C-alpha cells in the first residue's frame, strides 16, 4: 500500500449553540486516501481547531455515534474512506444529521430517537437465532449454532441507533412525531402479534401509514436493518389482520 | 448539611463508573468531558470482557481483577454484553509450550477453564483454523463500548449526576497554597467559559491524566501505549478467540454485531490526541488474525482504529507493564490537596477502579459510605437520553 497522502479540503458546518447563525469553515489537510473521514475530523480537531465538536466513540461501526452528512449523504464517518468520497486535491463537505436538534457544529441530540427506542422497548441484545444472517437478506437463518451448554448465543442487534435513517427520511423532516424508520424496524423485529402495544403504535397516525415509501432509510442504513422493507412488511401484516378479523 | 460536591474529569469508563459510585454514596456529582461519552480510549476498546485468561501467567493481579469484575458486570449490566464465552486455541506446535503455564495460571487466579478437543472446537466455531491442536473454553465475553459507558452514565444521571459534555477543562481553580478548589472549563458546543467549584476533583482522564495534573502542577507516572484494531464485516465467530500464547500482537479475534474485530499491538507515543494509523500494523493484524480465522482474508475491512491504553509506570515496553490500576491522592504525591487521579486498568475493571477511587475520596473527606456498585443493577443505556 502506498504511503502517499492526498491534499483534501474539509468544509465543515459550524454553529455554536442551537440558536446561533451557522456557517462553514474550510480546513485543508494532508491525509492518506485509505483513512476514514472520522480520522480527518479528529486530525482537524487535534491540530487545526480545538473548538470543533463532533460525536464519536468506537470508530468501527458498533456504536453509531459518528453519523453525519458527507457530501450531502448520511454516513458513519468511521467507515467512510477518504478515497470513496473525494480525490486528491478535492473537497469533503460535512454537515450534521438532519431532523434532530443541533447541539453544535457536527453534533446533534439523538435523544428523540433513543427515547422512542426506549418506548418501544427495542431489545438491547437478542438471541443469534433472531438475527438475520449474512447474505440472507433480513430473514432469520434456518439454523444457528448453539453454545456448548445448549443455550442460544446472545448478540448485540444490527441497529446501532445512529440516526442516519431518520436524517434521510423525508417524512421525518416534515413530522417530528413520526415514529420513524429505526423505531418501526424495532417494532417489526419484535413482532406485532406478540406485542399488542407495538401493534397499536405501528397502526397509529404516526406509524407505518405515515411513511411515503421513499426508501431513503434503507439506502443509508450502514447496518443491514433495511427499515423500509420492514415498514412495508408491517403494513402487509396489519392489512392481513384486518382482513382476517373482517371474515 | 449539604452533600459533598465531587467534580469528575473524564467520561470514559472510569469517569462514568466513578460518577455512578459517587452518586450512590450520596455525593453531588458533576462530570466534565471534552467530547461525548467514551470518545477516547474507552470507545475505541477492543470490546473484550476479559475472563483474565490473557493475564493469568504474567500479570496475575490483573487476571484476578478481571475474573471478579467480569462476573459482576454480567450481573449488573447484561444488556450491553454478548455473554458467549471465549476460547484459547493452539494452532502451531510451539503454542503448546504455553499450555501448562496457562492451566496453572488460570487455576491460581480461579478462572474456570475447560480443555476441549480440536473436533469440539471446530464444531463450536466452524471458521476456526482447522489446524487447531487444542482449545480451552474460558468465560470471556464481548461488549458494546459506548453502551457500557452510557449505562453507567445513565444510572449516575438518574441519581442526580450532571454531565457537561463537549466541555474542556482548561485550568484549575487553586487556593494560595496550590490546592485544588475546582476547575475552569470551556464549553465548546456553546463557546462559553466558566468555573465549577467542588470539595474534590477526580482526574479520570486515562491516557490524558498528565495534561490535567500538569494544570495543578502535579504529576503521575503513566505510559500512553496505543494499539491498533481492525474490524472486518463478517461475524466469523460467536465468542472471543484468543491464541494460546503469551500476550502478543494480533492474537485476539472478537465477534461484535456483524463483525469480527482483530487486535492489537502495543507501542509508545508522546502525543495521544491523534494517533495515525500505521499501515504495517494493519497488515500484521490480517496476517496474525488469519492464523486464527483463515477466512478473515476474504472479508471486507469495515473500520481501522487506534486506542491508547493508559498503562501505569514511566518506562519499559508496553507488554511488560501490568494492566492493573492505581488511584493517587496528590496530597501524598505532590502535597496538593483536593485532587485525586485514577489511571491504568482495563474496561473490564472499571467498576473496581471506581470503587477504589471513591474509597480514597471518602476517606479524604471523612465520609463513611460503603460501596454498593457490586449489587446495584445499571439502568438501560438509553435512559441517559430519557431524563
Amino acid at each position: 500500500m502506498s504511503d502517499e497522502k492526498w491534499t483534501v479540503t474539509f468544509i465543515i458546518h459550524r454553529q455554536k449553540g442551537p440558536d446561533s447563525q451557522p456557517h462553514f469553515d474550510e480546513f485543508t489537510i494532508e491525509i492518506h486516501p485509505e483513512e476514514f473521514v472520522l480520522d480527518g475530523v479528529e486530525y482537524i480537531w487535534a491540530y487545526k481547531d480545538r473548538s470543533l465538536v463532533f460525536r464519536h466513540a468506537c470508530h468501527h461501526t458498533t456504536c453509531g455515534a459518528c453519523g453525519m452528512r458527507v457530501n450531502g449523504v448520511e454516513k458513519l464517518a468511521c467507515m467512510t474512506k477518504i478515497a470513496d468520497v473525494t480525490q486528491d486535491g478535492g473537497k469533503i463537505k460535512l454537515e450534521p444529521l438532519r431532523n434532530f436538534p443541533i447541539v453544535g457544529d457536527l453534533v446533534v441530540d439523538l435523544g428523540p430517537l433513543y427515547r422512542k427506542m426506549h418506548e418501544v422497548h427495542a431489545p438491547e441484545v437478542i438471541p443469534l437465532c433472531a438475527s438475520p444472517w449474512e447474505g440472507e437478506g433480513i430473514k432469520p437463518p434456518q439454523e444457528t449454532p448453539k453454545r456448548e451448554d445448549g443455550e442460544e448465543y446472545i448478540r448485540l442487534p444490527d441497529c446501532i441507533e445512529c440516526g442516519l435513517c431518520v436524517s434521510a427520511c423525508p417524512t421525518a423532516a416534515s413530522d417530528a412525531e413520526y415514529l420513524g424508520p429505526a423505531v418501526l424496524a424495532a417494532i417489526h423485529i419484535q413482532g406485532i402479534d406478540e406485542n399488542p402495544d407495538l401493534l397499536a403504535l405501528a397502526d397509529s397516525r404516526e406509524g407505518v401509514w405515515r411513511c411515503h415509501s421513499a426508501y431513503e432509510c434503507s439506502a443509508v442504513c450502514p447496518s443491514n436493518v433495511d427499515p423500509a422493507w420492514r415498514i412495508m412488511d408491517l403494513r402487509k401484516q396489519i392489512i392481513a389482520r384486518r382482513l382476517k378479523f373482517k371474515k | 448539611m449539604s452533600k459533598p460536591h465531587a467534580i469528575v474529569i473524564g467520561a470514559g469508563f472510569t469517569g462514568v463508573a466513578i460518577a455512578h459510585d459517587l452518586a450512590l454514596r450520596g455525593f453531588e456529582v458533576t462530570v466534565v468531558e471534552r467530547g461525548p461519552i467514551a470518545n477516547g480510549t474507552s470507545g475505541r476498546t477492543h470490546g473484550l470482557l476479559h475472563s483474565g485468561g490473557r493475564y493469568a501467567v504474567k500479570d496475575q493481579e490483573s487476571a484476578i481483577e478481571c475474573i471478579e469484575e467480569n462476573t459482576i458486570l454480567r450481573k449488573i449490566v447484561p444488556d450491553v454484553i454478548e455473554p458467549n464465552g471465549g476460547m484459547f486455541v493452539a494452532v502451531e506446535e510451539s503454542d503448546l509450550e504455553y499450555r501448562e503455564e496457562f492451566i496453572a495460571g488460570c487455576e491460581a487466579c480461579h478462572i474456570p477453564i475447560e480443555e476441549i478437543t480440536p473436533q469440539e472446537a471446530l464444531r463450536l466455531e466452524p471458521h476456526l483454523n482447522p489446524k487447531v491442536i487444542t482449545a480451552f473454553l474460558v468465560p470471556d465475553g464481548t461488549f458494546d463500548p459506548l453502551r457500557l459507558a452510557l449505562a453507567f452514565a445513565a444510572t449516575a444521571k438518574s441519581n442526580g449526576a450532571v454531565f457537561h459534555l463537549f466541555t474542556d477543562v482548561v485550568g484549575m481553580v487553586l487556593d494560595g497554597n496550590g490546592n485544588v478548589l475546582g476547575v475552569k472549563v470551556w464549553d465548546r458546543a456553546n463557546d462559553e467559559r466558566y468555573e465549577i467549584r467542588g470539595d474534590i476533583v477526580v482526574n479520570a482522564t486515562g491516557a490524558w491524566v498528565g495534561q490535567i495534573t500538569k494544570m495543578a502542577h502535579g504529576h503521575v507516572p503513566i505510559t500512553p501505549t496505543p494499539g491498533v484494531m481492525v474490524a472486518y464485516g463478517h461475524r466469523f465467530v460467536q465468542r472471543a478467540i484468543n491464541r494460546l500464547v503469551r500476550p502478543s500482537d494480533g492474537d485476539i479475534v472478537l465477534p461484535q454485531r456483524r463483525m469480527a474485530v482483530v487486535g492489537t499491538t502495543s507501542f509508545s507515543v508522546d502525543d495521544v490526541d491523534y494517533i495515525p494509523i500505521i499501515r504495517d500494523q494493519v497488515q500484521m493484524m490480517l496476517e496474525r488474525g488469519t492464523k486464527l480465522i483463515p477466512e478473515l482474508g476474504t472479508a471486507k475491512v469495515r473500520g481501522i482504529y487506534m486506542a491508547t491504553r493508559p498503562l501505569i509506570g514511566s518506562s519499559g515496553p508496553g507488554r511488560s507493564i501490568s494492566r492493573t490500576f492505581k488511584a493517587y491522592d496528590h496530597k501524598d504525591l505532590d502535597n496538593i490537596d483536593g485532587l485525586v487521579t485514577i489511571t491504568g486498568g482495563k474496561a473490564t475493571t472499571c467498576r473496581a477502579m471506581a470503587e477504589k477511587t471513591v474509597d480514597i475520596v471518602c476517606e479524604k473527606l471523612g465520609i463513611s459510605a460503603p460501596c454498593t456498585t457490586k449489587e446495584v443493577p445499571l439502568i438501560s443505556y438509553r435512559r441517559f437520553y430519557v431524563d
Side-chain angles (χ1 to χ4, degrees), chain A residues 11-226:
Chain A
I11 305 166
I12 300 181
H13 175 274
R14 305 305 299 272
Q15 186 173 355
K16 291 303 172 193
D19 304 322
S20 74
Q21 199 60 32
H23 67 278
F24 286 89
D25 279 343
E26 295 196 5
F27 303 93
T28 301
I29 63 170
E30 307 288 308
I31 189 163
H32 195 285
E34 293 290 309
E35 279 191 87
F36 298 91
V37 170
L38 184 56
D39 299 323
V41 174
E42 192 164 45
Y43 181 93
I44 289 165
W45 162 79
Y47 298 118
K48 298 277 187 179
D49 187 349
R50 285 278 169 161
S51 72
L52 181 64
V53 293
F54 58 105
R55 297 178 86 246
H56 62 129
C58 80
H59 289 235
H60 70 287
T61 79
T62 203
C63 82
C66 68
M68 58 182 74
R69 282 183 295 148
V70 180
N71 296 336
V73 182
E74 283 75 10
K75 303 267 189 197
L76 290 181
C78 71
M79 67 179 295
T80 305
K81 272 189 195 166
I82 298 293
D84 291 340
V85 289
T86 191
Q87 57 200 349
D88 193 7
K91 294 177 177 180
I92 297 176
K93 189 174 187 181
L94 300 180
E95 296 164 279
L97 294 181
R98 290 178 289 204
N99 308 333
F100 289 102
I102 289 268
V103 174
D105 294 341
L106 295 171
V107 177
V108 295
D109 173 13
L110 287 181
L113 172 61
Y114 272 72
R115 282 194 284 276
K116 284 178 192 162
M117 293 297 270
H118 184 68
E119 277 166 31
V120 302
H121 42 83
E124 290 96 348
V125 287
I126 53 173
L128 186 65
C129 65
S131 321
W133 214 234
E134 275 96 343
E136 303 202 1
I138 64 166
K139 291 198 180 111
Q142 298 290 317
E143 280 177 43
T144 46
K146 294 277 191 295
R147 286 180 6 186
E148 56 277 13
D149 53 11
E151 296 290 315
E152 287 283 356
Y153 286 109
I154 301 293
R155 59 159 281 198
L156 297 155
D158 282 335
C159 180
I160 53 174
E161 301 160 296
C162 60
L164 299 196
C165 58
V166 176
S167 175
C169 174
T171 308
S174 63
D175 178 4
E177 298 304 311
Y178 174 46
L179 287 174
V183 175
L184 289 169
I187 289 175
H188 181 264
I189 287 164
Q190 295 176 84
I192 50 174
D193 290 336
E194 298 81 358
N195 298 279
D197 60 324
L198 299 185
L199 169 62
L201 273 173
D203 197 12
S204 72
R205 187 186 142 78
E206 300 299 346
V208 292
W209 310 111
R210 243 314 177 230
C211 168
H212 289 184
S213 318
Y215 282 74
E216 295 291 342
C217 52
S218 288
V220 299
C221 177
S223 206
N224 309 288
V225 179
D226 203 351

Side-chain angles (χ1 to χ4, degrees), chain A residues 16-17 35 42 47 50 52 58 60-63 115 122 134 148 153-154 156-158 160-161 222, chain B residues 43-44 79 82 84 144 147 188-190 235 239 256-259 271 273-274 302 381-382 385:
Chain A
K16 291 303 172 193
E35 279 191 87
E42 192 164 45
Y47 298 118
R50 285 278 169 161
L52 181 64
C58 80
H60 70 287
T61 79
T62 203
C63 82
R115 282 194 284 276
E134 275 96 343
E148 56 277 13
Y153 286 109
I154 301 293
L156 297 155
D158 282 335
I160 53 174
E161 301 160 296
Chain B
R44 282 170 254 198
D79 52 0
E82 297 192 359
N84 301 328
D144 179 292
R147 284 162 181 79
R188 284 153 47 231
N190 297 292
R235 189 182 171 98
R239 76 196 73 210
Q256 206 171 52
R257 300 190 198 271
R258 284 195 191 210
M259 290 178 281
D271 184 357
D273 278 348
Y274 179 81
R302 208 168 147 84
Y381 66 83
R382 290 194 189 109
Y385 295 101

Side-chain angles (χ1 to χ4, degrees), chain B residues 116-132:
Chain B
I116 57 173
T117 62
Q119 293 76 17
E120 177 66 358
L122 285 164
R123 188 187 71 78
L124 289 171
E125 296 292 352
H127 295 281
L128 207 57
N129 185 341
K131 289 181 184 151
V132 54

Side-chain angles (χ1 to χ4, degrees), chain B residues 276-289:
Chain B
I277 292 165
I278 298 168
R279 297 283 139 192
D280 293 350
Q281 295 192 1
V282 176
Q283 184 59 28
M284 180 168 76
M285 289 306 99
L286 180 63
E287 284 161 14
R288 299 275 174 93

Side-chain angles (χ1 to χ4, degrees), chain B residues 10-313:
Chain B
F13 293 132
T14 324
V16 294
I18 288 170
H20 167 56
D21 196 327
L22 285 165
L24 283 180
R25 293 203 222 186
F27 280 77
E28 182 190 342
V29 182
T30 303
V31 181
V32 184
E33 161 59 54
R34 70 179 182 178
I37 301 282
N39 70 83
T41 306
S42 299
R44 282 170 254 198
T45 172
H46 205 155
L48 175 57
L49 184 70
H50 278 274
S51 62
R54 181 169 178 80
Y55 306 117
V57 173
K58 287 276 281 183
D59 188 1
Q60 296 197 337
E61 188 184 0
S62 297
I64 292 164
E65 285 165 9
C66 283
I67 186 64
E68 288 176 0
E69 293 303 314
N70 173 311
T71 311
I72 293 166
L73 289 184
R74 282 167 190 260
K75 198 173 68 183
I76 65 170
V77 59
D79 52 0
V80 303
I81 293 172
E82 297 192 359
N84 301 328
M87 204 186 269
F88 277 74
V89 296
V91 293
E92 288 175 4
E93 284 297 328
S94 58
D95 296 352
L96 290 176
E97 290 165 18
Y98 188 63
R99 180 176 167 277
E100 293 301 321
E101 282 180 283
F102 177 75
I103 295 171
C106 287
E107 196 182 332
C109 299
H110 303 289
I111 300 163
I113 59 171
E114 183 192 345
E115 190 163 20
I116 57 173
T117 62
Q119 293 76 17
E120 177 66 358
L122 285 164
R123 188 187 71 78
L124 289 171
E125 296 292 352
H127 295 281
L128 207 57
N129 185 341
K131 289 181 184 151
V132 54
I133 302 166
T134 190
F136 291 88
L137 296 174
V138 300
D140 283 342
T142 57
F143 58 85
D144 179 292
L146 174 58
R147 284 162 181 79
L148 176 60
L150 276 177
F152 276 104
T155 314
K157 202 173 161 189
S158 76
N159 290 317
V162 175
F163 287 77
H164 298 250
L165 303 180
F166 306 105
T167 301
D168 290 32
V169 170
V170 292
M172 292 285 157
V173 182
L174 301 174
D175 71 5
N177 299 317
N179 298 314
V180 175
L181 302 175
V183 292
K184 297 174 183 173
V185 304
W186 172 32
D187 169 353
R188 284 153 47 231
N190 297 292
D191 197 17
E192 289 170 1
R193 290 168 192 266
Y194 52 98
E195 283 183 12
I196 306 170
R197 289 176 181 241
D199 299 296
I200 187 83
V201 173
V202 181
N203 174 16
T205 55
W208 290 266
V209 286
Q211 295 182 13
I212 298 295
T213 52
K214 208 170 152 190
M215 293 177 193
H217 310 293
H219 79 286
V220 162
I222 73 145
T223 305
T225 310
V228 73
M229 256 76 64
V230 183
Y232 295 89
H234 193 101
R235 189 182 171 98
F236 288 108
V237 290
Q238 302 305 333
R239 76 196 73 210
I241 306 296
N242 308 257
R243 181 103 178 251
L244 185 67
V245 288
R246 278 169 195 273
S248 176
D249 293 339
D251 54 2
I252 303 176
V253 182
L254 292 189
Q256 206 171 52
R257 300 190 198 271
R258 284 195 191 210
M259 290 178 281
V261 187
V262 185
T264 180
T265 50
S266 188
F267 61 102
S268 299
V269 290
D270 294 324
D271 184 357
V272 289
D273 278 348
Y274 179 81
I275 317 282
I277 292 165
I278 298 168
R279 297 283 139 192
D280 293 350
Q281 295 192 1
V282 176
Q283 184 59 28
M284 180 168 76
M285 289 306 99
L286 180 63
E287 284 161 14
R288 299 275 174 93
T290 50
K291 291 211 164 165
L292 293 167
I293 312 293
E295 283 167 85
L296 273 180
T298 66
K300 197 166 183 271
V301 170
R302 208 168 147 84
I304 303 170
Y305 58 109
M306 313 291 284
T308 307
R309 310 170 190 84
L311 301 187
I312 303 166

